[in-house]
Amino acid sequence: MKKQMYLPVAAVLLGIVAAQKTATPIPIGVSVAQTSNTALLGKEQVIGAQIAEEFYNGRGGINGTAFKLFFEDTGGDEAGAINAFQTQINKNRVVAIVGPTLSQQAFAADKIADAAKVPVIGPSNTARGIPQIGDFVARVSAPVAIVAPNSVRAALKINPSMKKAAVFYAQNDAFATSETGTFQETAKAQGLEVVTVQKFQTTDSDFTSQVSAALALKPDLAIVSGLAADGGNLVKQLRIAGYKGVIIGGNGLNTANMFPVCQQYCDGVLIAQAYAPTAPGALNAAFRTVYKNKYRKEPPQFTAQAFTAVQVIVEALRTLDKKSKVADMELADLRIKLNAQILIGKYNTPLGEITFDKEGEVQQKNFYVAQIKMNPDGKTGSFEFLK
Ligand code: 1QQ
C-alpha cells in the first residue's frame, strides 16, 4: 500500500517538473514609452506588441511553448530607456528586446544590450546609424532616408507649383535631426528652395518666433520634423498664424494621438508611411482584422511595426527551436543564436515581406503617403492613404 502511494506521488511530482520546464513562458522584453509625451507614440506600440503576443501564443507560441512579453516603460528620455533595458537584461532575463521608441533613446540604450549580447529589434527607430550601433541591433522601422522623401514627392504631385520650403526641426532629437537632413536634401533635389531652417526643442510648446520668421519668407511648403506634442503644436500655430500652404509632417507626427494637440489644424498634413492597412498579404489581413475588431479603426504604422518586431523574434525562435530546443538552451547562448537567426530569416509581416542586411537594416519594399483628414468635430480624424 505504502509503496503504491509513493509511486503516483513521485510520478505527479516528476510530471509537474517536466510540465513547468516546457511551460515556463519564454520571456521577451518590450521597452517603449508608456509615459511622458513620447507615450503618444509608444502607446500605439504597446498595442501592437500585445496583439502579437495573443496572436502567436494562440497559434502555438514557440512550437508549443508559450512566450511572455515583459513590458518595462522607458519614458521619453535616454535614462529611462537605459534603466528599462537593464531591467530586461538582468532581472527579466529576456531573450531579446523590442524597443525603444525614439532613436534618441536607442543611441543610449542599444549599446547596453549590445554589450550584453542581447538582440534588440527597433520598432520605430528611423534615424541614420541605428543598425550600426552594434551586431545585436536590428530594426523593422525603415530609415527616414528611404521613407521621408515619399512625402515630398507626394506634396509636389498635389501642388506642382510649390517653390519655397520652410523647414522646422527639433534639434535635441536624433531622429528629427536625421530626418530634416533627408527632407532638406529631397526638397532641393526636387527643385524647391529651402528658404529657412528653423530649430526648436521637443519640449517647446510656443513656436511664435519660428513661425513668424518662416512666414515672413512666404513659403508654400512647411516641413516639420519633431515629435507628436511639439510637432502638433507647431502645425497648429502655423495655421493660426495664417499659413495656407502644404504641410508635411515627419514620422514623429505619425499618430492619431496628435489630433487632440493640433485639432482641426491637423487637417491636410501629409505624412509618409512604412505601413498601409490595405497592403496585400494574409498576415496583414489577419492583423488588421484583430486590430479593427478591438479598436474600430485602421491600425496605425507604429502598431504594425511593433507587431512585426515581436513577430520577427517569435519566428526566429521557432526556427531555432526546431534545430535545438530553446527551452533547454543556456540564456547567453540562446541570445547569441537568436540574434544570428533573426538576421538570416525572411518574414511575411504586416509591412510586407522583410529581411535584414548583415548589419540589421530592414529590407522592405513598399512605402506610402497618407494625408490627415479631420472630422468636423475637430478632435477625431483619420489617415487617408494617397493613391
Ligand atoms: C525615431 C522615430 C520616432 C519619431 C518614432 C516614434 O522615428 O525616433 O527614430
Side-chain angles (χ1 to χ4, degrees):
M1 267 306 274
K2 232 182 172 181
K3 205 174 180 185
Q4 267 176 343
M5 274 186 70
Y6 278 126
L7 272 172
V9 170
V12 165
L13 280 175
L14 278 171
I16 287 170
V17 172
Q20 276 188 345
K21 196 167 182 197
T22 47
T24 303
I26 295 162
I28 298 172
V30 179
S31 277
V32 294
Q34 296 178 259
T35 56
S36 82
N37 271 344
T38 306
L40 295 175
L41 307 156
K43 278 180 181 159
E44 294 190 337
Q45 303 182 295
V46 170
I47 291 169
Q50 285 169 335
I51 291 176
E53 184 179 36
E54 216 179 301
F55 186 89
Y56 286 106
N57 273 331
R59 284 160 181 75
I62 314 303
N63 307 328
T65 303
F67 68 92
K68 180 174 157 48
L69 298 184
F70 284 79
F71 289 89
E72 297 290 346
D73 177 21
T74 60
D77 62 5
E78 293 95 317
I82 289 171
N83 242 331
F85 271 44
Q86 279 168 337
T87 304
Q88 300 285 21
I89 295 163
N90 302 314
K91 181 166 162 269
N92 301 338
R93 296 173 57 78
V94 299
V95 299
I97 300 172
V98 172
T101 301
L102 302 179
S103 292
Q104 179 72 28
Q105 297 175 296
F107 284 118
D110 288 7
K111 284 191 282 208
I112 286 160
D114 190 66
K117 299 192 168 26
V118 177
V120 176
I121 307 282
S124 56
N125 314 133
T126 61
R128 179 206 293 264
I130 294 287
Q132 290 74 29
I133 292 171
D135 292 347
F136 285 78
V137 179
R139 64 174 159 195
V140 295
S141 42
V144 284
I146 292 179
V147 184
N150 293 290
S151 57
V152 179
R153 291 191 284 262
L156 277 162
K157 221 165 132 188
I158 292 171
N159 194 343
S161 63
M162 294 190 309
K163 301 231 157 15
K164 296 196 270 183
V167 174
F168 304 81
Y169 79 98
Q171 60 178 331
N172 63 331
D173 181 81
F175 141 77
T177 306
S178 181
E179 191 188 59
T180 195
T182 293
F183 273 137
Q184 291 174 43
E185 282 164 29
T186 309
K188 286 175 201 154
Q190 297 281 327
L192 290 159
E193 183 194 352
V194 175
V195 291
T196 182
V197 177
Q198 294 288 325
K199 298 174 192 169
F200 59 92
Q201 307 281 329
T202 51
T203 46
D204 288 348
S205 54
D206 179 354
F207 300 94
T208 313
S209 69
Q210 290 92 340
V211 166
S212 53
L215 295 194
L217 301 167
K218 308 225 172 306
D220 37 26
L221 174 63
I223 308 180
V224 179
S225 291
L227 302 179
D230 44 302
N233 272 314
L234 176 47
V235 165
K236 178 178 171 179
Q237 289 168 34
L238 273 166
R239 290 301 187 208
I240 289 175
Y243 177 65
K244 299 229 159 37
V246 178
I247 299 179
I248 290 174
N251 200 38
L253 283 69
N254 199 358
T255 172
N257 293 333
M258 181 180 71
F259 297 169
V261 181
C262 49
Q263 302 152 324
Q264 71 265 34
Y265 307 105
C266 307
D267 196 68
V269 172
L270 293 165
I271 306 182
Q273 307 289 327
Y275 169 71
T278 54
L283 190 69
N284 183 41
F287 162 73
R288 185 185 183 198
T289 302
V290 174
Y291 184 91
K292 281 179 90 170
N293 287 343
K294 240 179 170 152
Y295 298 97
R296 306 277 148 210
K297 57 179 184 175
E298 294 289 359
Q301 173 201 272
F302 291 126
T303 303
Q305 288 176 321
F307 178 100
T308 300
V310 174
Q311 178 191 355
V312 162
I313 295 168
V314 167
E315 291 191 0
L317 281 167
R318 283 176 173 175
T319 306
L320 200 57
D321 186 69
K322 285 182 190 146
K323 297 182 212 160
S324 66
K325 269 269 154 235
V326 156
D328 297 335
M329 283 167 78
E330 197 241 323
L331 181 59
D333 187 39
L334 170 55
R335 286 165 166 173
I336 291 167
K337 294 204 166 106
L338 177 58
N339 189 58
Q341 183 59 51
I342 286 169
L343 294 178
I344 59 172
K346 187 194 253 190
Y347 310 88
N348 266 308
T349 77
L351 313 177
E353 187 187 285
I354 61 166
T355 55
F356 298 98
D357 74 8
K358 60 180 190 308
E359 289 189 310
E361 182 65 281
V362 67
Q363 309 295 302
Q364 178 183 344
K365 291 187 190 82
N366 295 315
F367 301 97
Y368 316 86
V369 179
Q371 185 161 33
I372 295 174
K373 181 104 197 69
M374 292 305 290
N375 297 326
D377 66 11
K379 293 190 182 97
T380 60
S382 56
F383 286 82
E384 303 293 316
F385 281 69
L386 305 181
K387 294 266 153 43

